Amino acid sequence: MKENNFAVLMAGGVGSRFWPVSTAAKPKQFRDLMGKGETLIQTTFKRLTHLVPAKNIYVLTNEGYEHLVKEQLPELGEEQILLEPVMRNTAPAVLLAALKIRKKNSDAVMIMAPSDHWIEDEQAFLDDITIAFEAAREQDKILTLGIKPTFPNTGYGYIKFNPSAPGRVKPVELFTEKPSYEVAKDFLKSGNFLWNAGIFVWNVDYIIRSFQKNLEQTFELFSKGEAIYNTSEEKSFIRENYPAAENISIDYAILEKEQGTIDVIPASFDWNDLGTWGSLYEETGKDEDGNVALNARLFAENATGNLVSSDKNKVVVIEGLKDCVIVDENEILLIVPRAKEQDIKGIRERVKEKFGQNLG
């Protein structure tokens, strides 16, 4: 059965809230944010090879990151790297990958997963994905993994489900995108909502039929290239036709329209989407004063709750600082309160406006 398992890693984002480490030229999925000796996409790839043969793992990214993918995942063949010439959100990219995979193996089940998430208990993750693969093999369903919420986060989507339904696989009742703080608090109290981790599993034949029904124009556009997928002519076909695809997410194109066929597996592993420096702070080992040092040798006095990141394992000396993000990367030194981390994306834009686009 493992030969029928396929994976598609989404690796096209910029990760602007991790600026100045994550930049348009080299975003966070290609960085060793955790200081563990491997990048986030390398960690994700290695994790999935326990369930999916390396030859069946595809990476979706934009043309500008082709060299980074090849450098960090040299085991990938040319046909396993899907390059977007322009950004068209997630739905067209997933359809293209599904058509490529079906041509290779019509019995395939595939997982669509972000390339830059943090998962601590990898065995629990693999166990949950195995359940999802088997469920997708048996029926035409969309399987997703939901994370038990720990606080009323307004930056995540939520999945309403029936906790009392038998078995590990539960029917989904509703998806809600990024609620207000008050609504998120109500979701937590109810006990029947999960965070949407953006991880989906389906059999390839079913998801292509769903695209044919729900995203007809893009399906017709990409179907014209089926004879040349996985060949040397594929790149030129994509470059010529991809800009005409609809600009729409998988959530709006498929999930909203197929809600009656979506099930969720409440995850048995810890998860973090590593969307901000604060989320990285929460998942990283700290000293006795709550300071985190990443690729840095930290000397801290009267300093608590800080995150310090350096690009060259520098000795960083801080005194009297509390709850700050301090990032030294190439020609940029960023110092902001952790409470203001959501402002980093806007700060990045203002810095680029003043000093030039090459800074981000």
Side-chain angles (χ1 to χ4, degrees), residues 47-68:
R47 180 188 305 128
L48 284 170
T49 56
H50 294 288
L51 290 180
V52 180
K55 66 180 181 179
N56 291 355
I57 299 178
Y58 292 75
V59 173
L60 288 172
T61 191
N62 68 55
E63 285 186 337
Y65 303 145
E66 180 178 13
H67 68 291
L68 291 171

Side-chain angles (χ1 to χ4, degrees), residues 120-344:
E120 183 172 8
D121 189 342
E122 293 202 346
Q123 189 55 56
F125 168 82
L126 296 172
D127 292 344
D128 288 353
I129 297 300
T130 298
I131 293 170
F133 273 151
E134 293 312 310
R137 240 185 284 279
E138 293 168 1
Q139 54 190 321
D140 290 344
K141 284 276 190 179
I142 295 172
L143 282 300
T144 185
L145 271 68
I147 312 297
K148 185 177 180 180
T150 54
F151 67 100
N153 192 313
T154 58
Y156 294 157
Y158 285 73
I159 301 168
K160 185 180 182 182
F161 76 114
N162 180 3
S164 61
R168 288 291 315 282
V169 180
K170 316 282 188 182
V172 169
E173 297 179 6
L174 181 70
F175 282 92
T176 302
E177 277 298 305
K178 297 180 180 179
S180 68
Y181 181 73
E182 290 303 318
V183 170
K185 282 202 301 184
D186 289 340
F187 285 175
L188 255 70
K189 284 180 190 173
S190 75
N192 60 344
F193 281 85
L194 301 166
W195 284 335
N196 183 358
I199 301 170
F200 300 97
V201 175
W202 40 57
N203 74 65
V204 69
D205 186 65
Y206 164 69
I207 201 63
I208 289 173
R209 282 188 278 113
S210 181
F211 272 108
Q212 186 175 13
K213 179 175 64 174
N214 297 308
L215 204 66
E216 187 176 354
Q217 177 187 336
T218 301
F219 173 81
E220 294 296 334
L221 177 70
F222 288 172
S223 292
K224 293 187 301 182
E226 285 194 77
I228 60 172
Y229 290 147
N230 305 326
T231 74
S232 59
E233 300 174 58
E234 178 185 291
K235 278 188 180 180
S236 59
F237 173 84
I238 293 173
R239 193 172 288 119
E240 181 181 341
N241 290 278
Y242 203 87
E246 295 168 70
N247 187 358
I248 188 170
S249 71
I250 192 80
D251 304 72
Y252 291 119
I254 301 297
L255 301 184
E256 273 196 0
K257 297 167 184 174
E258 298 284 5
Q259 291 209 21
T261 62
I262 305 176
D263 288 343
V264 64
I265 299 171
S268 57
F269 54 88
D270 292 325
W271 167 92
N272 194 309
D273 75 338
L274 293 184
T276 63
W277 286 110
S279 63
L280 185 59
Y281 174 85
E282 294 301 325
E283 304 300 346
T284 311
K286 303 167 184 62
D287 67 15
E288 62 273 14
D289 294 313
N291 296 307
V292 168
L294 301 171
N295 299 312
R297 290 169 287 163
L298 180 61
F299 183 87
E301 289 189 336
N302 303 314
T304 59
N306 300 290
L307 182 146
V308 177
S309 174
S310 162
D311 63 338
K312 295 183 177 69
N313 199 31
K314 287 182 181 176
V315 173
V316 179
V317 181
I318 57 175
E319 201 278 335
L321 290 181
K322 182 179 180 182
D323 298 334
C324 286
V325 173
I326 304 146
V327 183
D328 180 34
E329 180 73 15
N330 295 325
E331 58 187 305
I332 300 172
L333 174 63
L334 171 77
I335 306 172
V336 297
R338 276 176 43 215
K340 297 277 189 180
E341 65 167 9
Q342 293 292 340
D343 298 341
I344 289 177

